[in-house]
Amino acid sequence: MNTDVEFHIRQNYPWNKLPANVKQSLGNSQREYEKYVLLYSIRHQLRFRNNLVRHVRKDERKYYEELLKYSRDHLMLYPYHLSDIMVKGLRVTPFSYYIGIMEDIMNSEKSYDSLPNFTAADCLRLLGIGRNQYIDLMNQCRSSKKFFRRKSARDLLPAKPVEISVEPWWVAQTGYITEDDIRICSTAEKKAIDKMIDSGPQLAGSMEYNVVLSLYNRGFIYLDVPISDDSCISVPPLEGFVMNRVQGDYFETLLYKIFVSIDEQTNVAELANVLEIDLDLVKNAVSMYCRLGFAVKKGTVFNSEQLHPTWKNAPSVNRLKSTMDPQKMLLSWEQGSPVMEGGSSATDTDTTSLEDQDTASVSSLSIPAAPTKRIAFLFDSTLTAFLMMGNLSPNLKSHAVTMFEVGKLSDETLDSFLAELEKVESTAEGEAQRYFDHALTLKNTILFLRYNKELTQDQGPDIPNIGFPLDMLRCESLLGLDQATCSRVLNKNYKLLVSMAPLSNEIRPISSCTPQHIGPAIPEVSSIWFKLYLYHVTGQGPPSLLLSKGSRLRKLPDIFQVYDRLLITSWGHDPGVVPTSNVLTMLNDALTHSAVLIQGHGMHGHGETVHIPFPFDEEDLKAEFSYSNMCTHKSLQKLKEHVDLKHQCGYITMLNANNRHRRRPSDSTECRGDTHLGGGLDTNGSTESFELVTEENNGDGSKVKTDTLNAEDEWVPLELCFGMPLFSSELNRKVCRKIASHKLCCNESLQELLHSSRKLSLKVLSFVQSFQDTVQPSDMDTGVSNPLSQPPAESGVPLPALNLLFKDGQLKEWSGRAPPPLDISALQKDQPT
């Protein structure tokens, strides 16, 4: 549907008030517009009254029946915001709605994964049917078909909801109740129904707990989860979340957008303003989080006089009781930093009730207020994958799921996260060691950035220096917001952004001048273009050939014939080291769907790489070049003139392709995972080969090296990564030390970083443009030609229009010897033999 048309439907524009261009896009057909109005209203589960659809469809009941059918067919969440219509009017409760959905997918013999994430979570909450229970039901259903006593899917599904978790501040309202229903009610239930009919909706906490559950299970009442403009919520580690699939309907998209944007200090009205989303929609989403148990409403502490005595032992109130003890809360804060109690756990079949995670009464305590702004540590999905694998620690998975699905771990939940990381062992076998290394290095990074007084020594005299709180944000989740909204969210909450390094090539990094970003300033700085820029300005680098998409090679160019291993980077994917012997077929396959960078890596097996952390220390710059002190390398001295290495942090990877003096891979830790490195080009976007390539050496110079290894000319820069490395604890420790000693987080340094980031961005964009002069607009669109990335890898970063060769210190166009423009042979007249 046209976005202009959607906008005018949302604003309730009747046909006669539509602008001429919108009418034209609809073929000047009022009937076509009305068709779109109905479709939009049903897809967005809009209320009939006060919306445009009431002028298009006269029968209100029929409209809601269509809406319900569409929602059920598309496996959407139950429209709780229309409960008054659905339960009172159509007598369709959430339980009967999800039973219908389960019956449909079982009859169609679909897998459990066909249920979208949030729908699956609500089914689990109400029906008690998760993945294992669903598989069991399907097996029973199939086996019954083999015998005469055939059971339908409906017969196998539960007859009533499981016992759900209800909070005392939820509101109970009467549903569709007949006289027959009243006859089967107990005296207490009748009294409760009479009170709701006479006095209106009642707080669940003011009624008898078992009566509320009993009436709800029979469908006689429904529960509203009221959210006001000034409501604030916290998101603890997810429990009971089901990771199936993302559907992309309007409400699911909204839920994910708000997940990554919400914080405990921002109320619902402010959040709607920042996101520029209708306030009622934001309230619906926040209400859904609380209903599913994925969020906890703050400030909802009940007085014992208000609370009915039967709620004292209710499972959901245990959390509230713990927060009502101010002394307990005071003990759990240290130096202004909230320390949450150990992980959350499920307490009943619903699996969504959480323990000791609400900080409701914190605001009422006389604790020094933490700084309003925070540091954001940006990570990508690679990190969450590592934390989910390898059984690192018993409860770490719920945090990893939160990092992936919510896209955020707020400072308030970091204590329980750190407690889980503390349980991770330091050693593992084989491939699992990488997961353990990342977990341990992540723990050290969080401890360094969070509430570190060393980083904030220039705070004003009136502000207590306790450092800054830290939030962790997933880049892909932030990219789900449009650029303006993302910028508003970041500027509202954060003083500084720090990226992990390297970020996967499969995502587009966050661009941000303010707040300042210790990481890639723009997406181009995290792309293949920046490698070429690096070689171009220093005049040094490995022989590199960037081939545009659609090229073909008849033979490998002569410049690479002397190499035993090549580093291949498919556009928008992470690099991999492959043997030269079988590379040609693989290259031509990759070139059919993306541009490819070919680089010489090792002449005798793998090349040797060393990571040099920056900013450089003054004493190191005064020393002579050596294996353990490469920051005086002439190429890096030249690089400092073009790239600000004083106010950023990260590492530069140096490559020695002529590694004759290296010890054999069998005795060396540098070649761990050697078999993976030679495996082949990773066109599916796996990050395995990339991590292994970059993890060859921490640059600590601990090995005994011969004099020949000190030869400066043997080493060339391979790549530069901005941010904090997580793949090596030694390198991470050095970068942390340099951030503190060079005072990168002080205001003066951040101001310098702002200017230098802008300058670098302009230089890199100008460099890219200089090789894009011949590109046509249609070619630019192919920047999103890779369907595997989500969001599209390097979307907005222009693809190369020319084939480019870096050789002998110069970057120039490479044409090869091919009469057809897209059929390039590898022969070059000026190549040395």
Side-chain angles (χ1 to χ4, degrees), residues 714-767:
E714 286 193 352
W715 295 90
V716 291
L718 177 64
E719 68 175 340
L720 186 157
C721 288
F722 293 112
M724 295 190 71
L726 295 184
F727 59 86
S728 159
S729 58
E730 179 65 18
L731 185 61
N732 176 271
R733 189 182 58 76
K734 289 180 179 178
V735 170
C736 288
R737 183 182 57 76
K738 287 173 182 285
I739 289 174
S741 62
H742 290 262
K743 298 181 178 171
L744 295 193
C745 296
C746 75
N747 291 326
E748 186 184 342
S749 177
L750 291 178
Q751 202 55 38
E752 291 291 337
L753 174 62
L754 177 64
H755 297 311
S756 62
S757 292
R758 284 176 172 162
K759 281 181 190 171
L760 179 64
S761 301
L762 291 171
K763 284 180 186 174
V764 173
L765 289 171
S766 173
F767 167 77

Side-chain angles (χ1 to χ4, degrees), residues 531-690:
K531 269 191 173 183
L532 296 181
Y533 175 77
L534 189 70
Y535 308 152
H536 176 66
V537 296
T538 59
Q540 290 202 41
S544 304
L545 176 62
L546 178 59
L547 294 170
S548 58
K549 177 182 167 183
S551 305
R552 282 194 72 73
L553 291 171
R554 287 192 185 139
K555 63 168 277 199
L556 194 66
D558 291 348
I559 195 169
F560 298 120
Q561 297 286 0
V562 294
Y563 286 89
D564 183 44
R565 293 285 192 278
L566 298 177
L567 183 66
I568 308 295
T569 312
S570 185
W571 198 271
H573 290 106
D574 295 326
V577 177
V578 298
T580 310
S581 52
N582 60 356
V583 76
L584 197 60
T585 310
M586 187 196 316
L587 282 173
N588 284 329
D589 285 346
L591 284 165
T592 59
H593 58 77
S594 74
V596 175
L597 176 69
I598 310 167
Q599 296 181 282
H601 193 266
M603 294 182 180
H604 314 282
H606 291 276
E608 182 172 11
T609 56
V610 173
H611 304 304
I612 308 166
F614 63 83
F616 303 137
D617 296 328
E618 284 299 321
E619 56 270 23
D620 290 338
L621 291 171
K622 290 173 186 170
E624 291 290 314
F625 173 86
S626 66
Y627 181 84
S628 59
N629 182 34
M630 289 200 189
C631 60
T632 55
H633 193 282
K634 54 192 174 188
S635 65
L636 302 190
Q637 298 307 308
K638 201 176 286 185
L639 180 64
K640 287 196 300 180
E641 299 168 16
H642 299 273
V643 179
D644 178 11
L645 301 180
K646 278 186 183 176
H647 304 102
Q648 269 271 25
C649 75
Y651 63 92
I652 298 159
T653 305
M654 301 294 287
L655 172 70
N656 180 2
N658 188 22
N659 52 345
R660 291 177 182 278
H661 309 284
R662 227 176 123 178
R663 289 190 292 177
R664 294 180 63 79
S666 56
D667 331 302
S668 169
T669 56
E670 294 174 28
C671 250
R672 180 156 41 84
D674 188 43
T675 52
H676 294 282
L677 288 169
L681 180 59
D682 186 42
T683 52
N684 292 321
S686 163
T687 55
E688 283 185 17
S689 50
F690 177 74

Side-chain angles (χ1 to χ4, degrees), residues 497-551:
L497 310 181
V498 182
S499 284
M500 68 175 265
L503 285 168
S504 168
N505 281 352
E506 301 196 17
I507 64 157
R508 180 189 172 104
I510 302 300
S511 303
S512 175
C513 284
T514 53
Q516 282 91 322
H517 183 190
I518 294 180
I522 53 172
E524 281 78 2
V525 172
S526 189
S527 72
I528 286 172
W529 286 115
F530 192 61
K531 269 191 173 183
L532 296 181
Y533 175 77
L534 189 70
Y535 308 152
H536 176 66
V537 296
T538 59
Q540 290 202 41
S544 304
L545 176 62
L546 178 59
L547 294 170
S548 58
K549 177 182 167 183
S551 305

Side-chain angles (χ1 to χ4, degrees), residues 95-130:
F95 175 75
S96 60
Y97 174 78
Y98 288 125
I99 285 289
I101 282 181
M102 275 294 173
E103 193 177 351
D104 290 346
I105 67 168
M106 285 177 73
N107 288 334
S108 306
E109 298 206 352
K110 289 182 180 175
S111 74
Y112 184 72
D113 292 330
S114 62
L115 281 175
N117 294 344
F118 286 101
T119 306
D122 210 13
C123 284
L124 178 61
R125 183 181 74 95
L126 289 170
L127 313 182
I129 298 176

